[in-house]
Coordinates of all heavy atoms in Angstrom, one line a residue:
K1 N 46.6 43.5 91.3 CA 46.9 44.1 92.6 C 46.2 45.4 92.7 O 46.2 46.2 91.9 CB 48.4 44.3 92.7 CG 48.9 44.7 94.1 CD 50.4 44.8 94.2 CE 50.8 45.3 95.5 NZ 52.2 45.3 95.7
E2 N 45.5 45.6 93.9 CA 44.7 46.8 94.1 C 45.6 47.9 94.5 O 46.7 47.8 95.2 CB 43.8 46.6 95.3 CG 42.7 45.5 95.0 CD 41.7 45.4 96.1 OE1 41.5 46.4 96.9 OE2 41.1 44.3 96.2
P3 N 45.3 49.1 94.1 CA 46.1 50.3 94.5 C 45.9 50.6 96.0 O 44.8 50.2 96.5 CB 45.5 51.5 93.6 CG 44.1 51.0 93.2 CD 44.2 49.5 93.2
P4 N 46.8 51.2 96.6 CA 46.7 51.5 98.0 C 45.5 52.4 98.3 O 45.2 53.3 97.5 CB 48.0 52.1 98.4 CG 48.7 52.5 97.2 CD 48.1 51.7 96.1
Q5 N 44.9 52.2 99.5 CA 43.7 53.1 99.8 C 44.2 54.4 100.2 O 45.2 54.6 100.9 CB 43.0 52.4 101.0 CG 41.8 53.2 101.4 CD 41.1 52.5 102.6 OE1 41.6 51.6 103.2 NE2 39.9 53.0 103.0
R6 N 43.5 55.5 99.8 CA 43.9 56.9 100.1 C 43.2 57.3 101.4 O 42.0 57.0 101.6 CB 43.5 57.8 98.9 CG 44.2 57.4 97.7 CD 43.8 58.4 96.6 NE 44.3 59.7 96.9 CZ 44.2 60.7 96.1 NH1 43.6 60.6 95.0 NH2 44.7 61.9 96.5
F7 N 43.9 58.0 102.2 CA 43.4 58.5 103.4 C 42.8 59.9 103.2 O 43.4 60.7 102.4 CB 44.4 58.6 104.5 CG 44.9 57.3 105.0 CD1 46.1 56.7 104.6 CD2 44.1 56.6 105.9 CE1 46.5 55.5 105.1 CE2 44.4 55.3 106.4 CZ 45.7 54.8 106.0
P8 N 41.7 60.3 103.8 CA 41.2 61.7 103.6 C 42.1 62.7 104.2 O 42.9 62.4 105.2 CB 39.8 61.6 104.3 CG 39.9 60.4 105.2 CD 40.9 59.5 104.6
V9 N 42.1 63.9 103.7 CA 42.9 65.0 104.3 C 42.6 65.2 105.7 O 43.5 65.5 106.5 CB 42.6 66.3 103.4 CG1 43.3 67.5 104.1 CG2 43.1 66.1 102.0
R10 N 41.3 65.0 106.1 CA 40.9 65.2 107.5 C 41.8 64.4 108.5 O 42.1 64.8 109.6 CB 39.5 64.9 107.7 CG 38.9 65.0 109.1 CD 38.3 66.3 109.5 NE 37.4 66.8 108.5 CZ 37.2 68.1 108.4 NH1 37.8 69.0 109.1 NH2 36.3 68.5 107.5
F11 N 42.1 63.2 108.0 CA 43.0 62.3 108.9 C 44.3 62.9 109.2 O 44.8 62.9 110.3 CB 43.1 61.0 108.1 CG 44.1 60.0 108.8 CD1 43.7 59.2 109.8 CD2 45.4 59.9 108.3 CE1 44.6 58.4 110.4 CE2 46.3 59.1 108.9 CZ 45.9 58.3 110.0
Y12 N 44.9 63.5 108.2 CA 46.2 64.2 108.4 C 46.1 65.4 109.2 O 47.0 65.7 110.0 CB 46.8 64.5 107.0 CG 47.2 63.2 106.2 CD1 46.4 62.8 105.1 CD2 48.2 62.4 106.6 CE1 46.7 61.7 104.5 CE2 48.6 61.3 105.9 CZ 47.8 60.9 104.9 OH 48.1 59.7 104.2
L13 N 45.0 66.2 109.1 CA 44.8 67.3 109.9 C 44.7 67.0 111.4 O 45.3 67.6 112.3 CB 43.6 68.1 109.5 CG 43.7 68.8 108.1 CD1 42.3 69.4 107.8 CD2 44.8 69.8 108.2
V14 N 43.9 65.9 111.7 CA 43.8 65.5 113.1 C 45.1 64.9 113.6 O 45.5 65.2 114.8 CB 42.7 64.4 113.2 CG1 42.7 63.8 114.6 CG2 41.3 65.1 112.9
A15 N 45.9 64.3 112.8 CA 47.2 63.8 113.2 C 48.1 64.9 113.5 O 48.9 64.8 114.5 CB 47.8 62.9 112.1
M16 N 48.1 66.0 112.7 CA 49.0 67.1 113.0 C 48.6 67.8 114.3 O 49.4 68.2 115.1 CB 49.0 68.1 111.8 CG 49.8 67.6 110.7 SD 49.9 68.9 109.4 CE 48.3 69.0 108.7
I17 N 47.3 67.9 114.6 CA 46.8 68.5 115.8 C 47.3 67.6 117.0 O 47.7 68.1 118.0 CB 45.3 68.7 115.8 CG1 44.9 69.7 114.8 CG2 44.7 69.0 117.2 CD1 43.4 69.8 114.5
F18 N 47.2 66.3 116.9 CA 47.6 65.4 117.9 C 49.1 65.6 118.2 O 49.6 65.7 119.3 CB 47.4 64.0 117.5 CG 47.8 63.0 118.5 CD1 47.1 62.8 119.6 CD2 49.0 62.2 118.2 CE1 47.6 61.8 120.6 CE2 49.4 61.3 119.2 CZ 48.7 61.1 120.3
I19 N 49.9 65.8 117.1 CA 51.4 66.0 117.3 C 51.6 67.3 118.0 O 52.5 67.4 118.9 CB 52.1 65.9 116.0 CG1 52.1 64.5 115.5 CG2 53.5 66.5 116.1 CD1 52.6 64.3 114.0
I20 N 50.9 68.4 117.7 CA 51.0 69.7 118.4 C 50.8 69.5 119.8 O 51.5 70.1 120.7 CB 50.1 70.7 117.7 CG1 50.6 71.1 116.3 CG2 50.0 72.0 118.6 CD1 49.7 71.9 115.5
F21 N 49.7 68.8 120.2 CA 49.5 68.7 121.7 C 50.5 67.8 122.3 O 50.7 67.9 123.5 CB 48.0 68.2 121.9 CG 47.0 69.4 121.7 CD1 46.3 69.4 120.5 CD2 46.9 70.4 122.6 CE1 45.4 70.5 120.3 CE2 46.1 71.4 122.4 CZ 45.3 71.5 121.3
D22 N 51.0 66.8 121.6 CA 52.1 66.0 122.2 C 53.4 66.9 122.5 O 54.0 66.8 123.5 CB 52.5 64.9 121.3 CG 51.6 63.7 121.4 OD1 50.8 63.7 122.3 OD2 51.7 62.8 120.6
I23 N 53.6 67.8 121.6 CA 54.8 68.7 121.8 C 54.5 69.6 123.0 O 55.4 70.0 123.7 CB 55.0 69.5 120.5 CG1 55.6 68.6 119.4 CG2 56.0 70.7 120.7 CD1 55.6 69.2 118.0
E24 N 53.3 70.0 123.1 CA 52.9 70.8 124.3 C 53.3 70.1 125.6 O 53.8 70.7 126.5 CB 51.4 71.2 124.3 CG 51.0 72.0 125.5 CD 49.6 72.3 125.6 OE1 48.8 71.7 124.8 OE2 49.2 73.0 126.5
V25 N 53.0 68.8 125.7 CA 53.3 68.0 126.8 C 54.8 67.9 127.0 O 55.3 68.0 128.2 CB 52.7 66.6 126.7 CG1 53.1 65.7 127.8 CG2 51.1 66.7 126.8
V26 N 55.5 67.9 126.0 CA 57.0 67.8 126.1 C 57.5 69.1 126.7 O 58.5 69.1 127.5 CB 57.6 67.6 124.7 CG1 59.1 67.8 124.7 CG2 57.3 66.2 124.2
F27 N 56.9 70.2 126.4 CA 57.3 71.5 127.1 C 56.8 71.6 128.5 O 57.4 72.3 129.3 CB 56.8 72.7 126.3 CG 57.6 73.0 125.0 CD1 57.0 72.9 123.8 CD2 58.9 73.2 125.1 CE1 57.7 73.1 122.7 CE2 59.7 73.5 124.0 CZ 59.0 73.4 122.7
L28 N 55.7 71.0 128.8 CA 55.1 71.1 130.2 C 55.9 70.3 131.2 O 56.0 70.7 132.4 CB 53.7 70.6 130.2 CG 52.6 71.6 129.7 CD1 51.3 71.0 129.6 CD2 52.6 72.9 130.5
Y29 N 56.4 69.1 130.8 CA 57.1 68.3 131.8 C 58.3 68.9 132.4 O 58.5 68.9 133.6 CB 57.4 66.9 131.1 CG 58.1 66.0 132.1 CD1 57.3 65.4 133.1 CD2 59.4 65.7 132.0 CE1 57.9 64.5 134.0 CE2 60.0 64.8 133.0 CZ 59.2 64.2 133.9 OH 59.8 63.4 134.8
P30 N 59.3 69.4 131.6 CA 60.5 70.1 132.2 C 60.1 71.3 133.1 O 60.7 71.6 134.1 CB 61.4 70.5 131.1 CG 60.8 69.8 129.9 CD 59.4 69.4 130.2
W31 N 59.0 72.0 132.7 CA 58.6 73.1 133.4 C 58.1 72.7 134.8 O 58.3 73.3 135.8 CB 57.5 73.9 132.7 CG 56.8 74.9 133.5 CD1 57.3 76.2 133.7 CD2 55.6 74.9 134.2 NE1 56.4 76.9 134.5 CE2 55.4 76.1 134.8 CE3 54.6 73.9 134.3 CZ2 54.2 76.4 135.5 CZ3 53.5 74.1 135.0 CH2 53.3 75.4 135.7
A32 N 57.3 71.6 134.8 CA 56.8 71.1 136.1 C 57.9 70.6 137.0 O 57.8 70.8 138.2 CB 55.8 69.9 135.8
V33 N 59.0 70.0 136.4 CA 60.1 69.6 137.2 C 60.8 70.7 137.9 O 61.2 70.7 139.0 CB 61.0 68.7 136.4 CG1 62.3 68.3 137.1 CG2 60.3 67.4 136.0
A34 N 61.0 71.8 137.1 CA 61.8 72.9 137.6 C 60.9 74.1 138.0 O 61.4 75.2 138.2 CB 62.7 73.4 136.5
F35 N 59.7 73.9 138.4 CA 58.7 74.9 138.7 C 59.2 75.8 139.9 O 59.1 77.0 139.9 CB 57.3 74.4 139.0 CG 56.4 75.4 139.4 CD1 55.9 76.3 138.5 CD2 55.9 75.5 140.7 CE1 55.0 77.3 138.8 CE2 55.0 76.4 141.1 CZ 54.5 77.3 140.1
D36 N 59.7 75.1 140.9 CA 60.1 75.9 142.1 C 61.3 76.8 141.9 O 61.4 77.8 142.5 CB 60.4 74.9 143.3 CG 61.5 73.9 142.9 OD1 61.7 73.7 141.7 OD2 62.0 73.3 143.9
R37 N 62.2 76.4 140.9 CA 63.3 77.3 140.6 C 63.0 78.4 139.6 O 63.7 79.4 139.6 CB 64.5 76.4 140.1 CG 65.1 75.6 141.2 CD 66.1 74.6 140.6 NE 65.3 73.6 140.0 CZ 65.7 72.6 139.2 NH1 67.0 72.6 138.9 NH2 65.0 71.7 138.7
L38 N 61.9 78.3 138.9 CA 61.6 79.3 137.9 C 60.9 80.5 138.5 O 61.0 81.6 137.9 CB 60.7 78.7 136.8 CG 61.4 77.6 136.0 CD1 60.4 76.9 135.0 CD2 62.6 78.1 135.2
G39 N 60.2 80.3 139.5 CA 59.5 81.4 140.1 C 58.3 82.0 139.3 O 57.7 81.3 138.5
V40 N 58.0 83.3 139.5 CA 56.9 83.9 138.8 C 57.1 84.0 137.3 O 56.2 83.9 136.5 CB 56.7 85.3 139.5 CG1 55.6 86.0 138.7 CG2 56.3 85.2 140.9
F41 N 58.4 84.3 136.9 CA 58.7 84.4 135.5 C 58.3 83.1 134.8 O 57.7 83.1 133.7 CB 60.2 84.6 135.3 CG 60.6 84.6 133.8 CD1 60.2 85.7 133.0 CD2 61.3 83.6 133.3 CE1 60.6 85.7 131.7 CE2 61.6 83.6 132.0 CZ 61.3 84.6 131.2
G42 N 58.6 81.9 135.3 CA 58.3 80.7 134.7 C 56.8 80.4 134.7 O 56.3 79.9 133.7
L43 N 56.1 80.9 135.7 CA 54.6 80.7 135.7 C 54.0 81.6 134.6 O 53.1 81.1 133.9 CB 54.1 81.1 137.1 CG 52.6 81.1 137.2 CD1 52.1 79.6 137.1 CD2 52.2 81.6 138.6
V44 N 54.4 82.8 134.5 CA 53.9 83.7 133.5 C 54.2 83.2 132.1 O 53.3 83.2 131.2 CB 54.4 85.2 133.7 CG1 54.1 86.0 132.5 CG2 54.0 85.8 135.0
E45 N 55.4 82.7 131.9 CA 55.7 82.2 130.6 C 54.9 81.0 130.2 O 54.4 80.8 129.1 CB 57.2 81.8 130.5 CG 58.1 83.0 130.5 CD 58.0 83.8 129.3 OE1 57.8 83.2 128.2 OE2 58.0 85.0 129.4
M46 N 54.6 80.1 131.2 CA 53.8 78.9 130.9 C 52.4 79.2 130.7 O 51.7 78.6 129.9 CB 54.0 77.8 132.0 CG 53.4 76.5 131.7 SD 53.9 75.9 130.0 CE 55.6 75.6 130.3
V47 N 51.8 80.2 131.5 CA 50.5 80.6 131.2 C 50.3 81.2 129.8 O 49.3 80.9 129.2 CB 50.0 81.6 132.3 CG1 48.7 82.3 132.0 CG2 49.9 80.9 133.7
T48 N 51.3 82.0 129.4 CA 51.2 82.5 128.0 C 51.3 81.4 127.0 O 50.5 81.4 126.0 CB 52.4 83.5 127.8 OG1 52.4 84.5 128.8 CG2 52.4 84.1 126.5
F49 N 52.1 80.4 127.2 CA 52.2 79.3 126.3 C 50.9 78.5 126.2 O 50.4 78.2 125.1 CB 53.4 78.4 126.7 CG 53.5 77.2 125.8 CD1 54.0 77.2 124.5 CD2 53.3 75.9 126.4 CE1 54.1 76.1 123.8 CE2 53.4 74.8 125.6 CZ 53.8 74.9 124.3
V50 N 50.4 78.2 127.4 CA 49.1 77.4 127.4 C 48.0 78.2 126.8 O 47.2 77.6 126.1 CB 48.9 76.9 128.8 CG1 47.5 76.3 128.9 CG2 49.9 75.9 129.3
A51 N 47.9 79.5 127.1 CA 46.9 80.3 126.5 C 47.0 80.3 125.0 O 45.9 80.3 124.3 CB 47.0 81.7 127.1
T52 N 48.2 80.4 124.5 CA 48.4 80.4 123.0 C 47.9 79.1 122.4 O 47.2 79.1 121.4 CB 49.8 80.6 122.7 OG1 50.3 81.9 123.2 CG2 50.1 80.7 121.1
V53 N 48.3 78.0 123.0 CA 47.8 76.7 122.5 C 46.3 76.5 122.7 O 45.7 76.0 121.8 CB 48.6 75.6 123.2 CG1 48.0 74.2 122.9 CG2 50.1 75.6 122.9
L54 N 45.7 77.0 123.7 CA 44.3 77.0 123.9 C 43.6 77.8 122.9 O 42.5 77.3 122.4 CB 43.9 77.5 125.3 CG 42.5 77.3 125.7 CD1 42.0 75.9 125.7 CD2 42.2 78.0 127.1
V55 N 44.1 79.0 122.5 CA 43.4 79.8 121.5 C 43.5 79.0 120.2 O 42.5 79.0 119.4 CB 44.1 81.1 121.4 CG1 43.7 81.9 120.1 CG2 43.8 82.0 122.6
A56 N 44.6 78.4 119.9 CA 44.7 77.6 118.6 C 43.7 76.4 118.6 O 43.0 76.1 117.6 CB 46.1 77.1 118.4
Y57 N 43.6 75.8 119.8 CA 42.6 74.6 119.9 C 41.2 75.1 119.7 O 40.4 74.5 118.9 CB 42.8 74.0 121.3 CG 41.8 72.9 121.5 CD1 41.9 71.7 120.9 CD2 40.8 73.1 122.4 CE1 41.0 70.6 121.2 CE2 39.8 72.1 122.7 CZ 40.0 70.9 122.0 OH 39.1 69.9 122.3
V58 N 40.8 76.2 120.3 CA 39.5 76.7 120.2 C 39.2 77.1 118.7 O 38.1 76.9 118.2 CB 39.2 77.9 121.1 CG1 37.9 78.6 120.8 CG2 39.2 77.4 122.6
Y59 N 40.2 77.7 118.1 CA 40.1 78.1 116.6 C 39.8 76.8 115.8 O 38.9 76.8 114.9 CB 41.3 78.8 116.2 CG 41.3 79.1 114.7 CD1 40.6 80.1 114.2 CD2 42.1 78.3 113.8 CE1 40.6 80.4 112.8 CE2 42.1 78.6 112.5 CZ 41.3 79.6 112.0 OH 41.3 79.9 110.6
V60 N 40.6 75.8 116.0 CA 40.4 74.6 115.2 C 39.1 73.9 115.5 O 38.4 73.5 114.6 CB 41.6 73.6 115.5 CG1 41.3 72.2 114.9 CG2 42.9 74.1 114.9
W61 N 38.7 74.0 116.7 CA 37.4 73.4 117.2 C 36.2 74.1 116.5 O 35.3 73.5 116.0 CB 37.3 73.4 118.7 CG 36.1 72.8 119.3 CD1 35.3 71.8 118.7 CD2 35.6 73.1 120.6 NE1 34.3 71.5 119.6 CE2 34.4 72.3 120.7 CE3 35.9 73.9 121.6 CZ2 33.6 72.3 121.9 CZ3 35.2 73.9 122.7 CH2 34.0 73.1 122.9
R62 N 36.3 75.5 116.6 CA 35.2 76.3 116.0 C 35.1 76.1 114.5 O 34.0 76.2 113.9 CB 35.3 77.7 116.4 CG 35.4 78.0 117.9 CD 34.1 78.1 118.5 NE 33.9 79.5 118.8 CZ 32.7 80.1 118.8 NH1 31.6 79.4 118.5 NH2 32.6 81.4 119.0
R63 N 36.2 75.9 113.8 CA 36.2 75.8 112.4 C 35.8 74.4 111.9 O 35.7 74.1 110.8 CB 37.6 76.1 111.8 CG 38.2 77.5 112.0 CD 37.7 78.4 111.0 NE 38.0 77.8 109.7 CZ 38.1 78.5 108.6 NH1 37.8 79.7 108.6 NH2 38.3 77.9 107.4
G64 N 35.6 73.5 112.9 CA 35.2 72.1 112.6 C 36.3 71.2 112.2 O 36.1 70.1 111.6
G65 N 37.5 71.5 112.6 CA 38.7 70.7 112.3 C 38.7 69.4 113.1 O 39.4 68.4 112.7
L66 N 37.9 69.3 114.1 CA 37.9 68.0 115.0 C 36.7 67.1 114.7 O 36.6 66.1 115.3 CB 37.9 68.4 116.5 CG 39.1 69.3 116.9 CD1 39.0 69.6 118.4 CD2 40.4 68.5 116.7
D67 N 35.9 67.5 113.7 CA 34.7 66.7 113.4 C 35.1 65.6 112.3 O 35.9 65.9 111.4 CB 33.6 67.6 112.7 CG 33.1 68.6 113.7 OD1 33.1 68.3 114.9 OD2 32.6 69.6 113.3
W68 N 34.6 64.4 112.5 CA 34.9 63.3 111.6 C 33.9 63.2 110.5 O 34.0 62.3 109.7 CB 35.1 62.0 112.4 CG 36.4 61.9 113.1 CD1 36.6 62.2 114.4 CD2 37.6 61.6 112.5 NE1 37.9 62.0 114.7 CE2 38.6 61.6 113.5 CE3 38.0 61.2 111.3 CZ2 39.9 61.3 113.3 CZ3 39.4 60.9 111.0 CH2 40.3 61.0 112.1
D69 N 32.9 64.0 110.4 CA 31.9 63.9 109.4 C 32.4 64.2 108.0 O 33.1 65.0 107.7 CB 30.7 64.8 109.8 CG 30.0 64.3 111.1 OD1 30.2 63.1 111.4 OD2 29.4 65.2 111.7

């Protein structure tokens, strides 16, 4: 019987990044539903959240974390 095939570490890193962006969508949906009741405070909070996630995405992208080579 052959030993199980090992996955490269890069596979797990991309999977974790995918999960992080899925969690972002989970936070965006309730915000979109209640947007009219949240007012300016809700808008500022969501812009801050999206900016933080965008900074993390750019960091991973610049470090080469999204390359499959």
Side-chain angles (χ1 to χ4, degrees):
K1 188 175 180 179
E2 294 182 26
Q5 183 181 5
R6 296 182 67 175
F7 290 104
V9 173
R10 177 95 47 211
F11 173 81
Y12 293 107
L13 292 175
V14 171
M16 286 188 289
I17 293 168
F18 179 75
I19 290 171
I20 288 170
F21 284 104
D22 279 352
I23 292 171
E24 178 186 10
V25 171
V26 168
F27 283 119
L28 282 173
Y29 183 73
W31 172 79
V33 170
F35 177 71
D36 56 342
R37 289 174 281 171
L38 295 174
V40 177
F41 175 74
L43 179 63
V44 170
E45 289 295 320
M46 191 49 66
V47 167
T48 304
F49 175 70
V50 171
T52 303
V53 172
L54 184 63
V55 166
Y57 175 73
V58 170
Y59 174 77
V60 170
W61 182 24
R62 302 273 255 150
R63 298 274 308 197
L66 301 176
D67 295 334
W68 281 99
D69 296 335

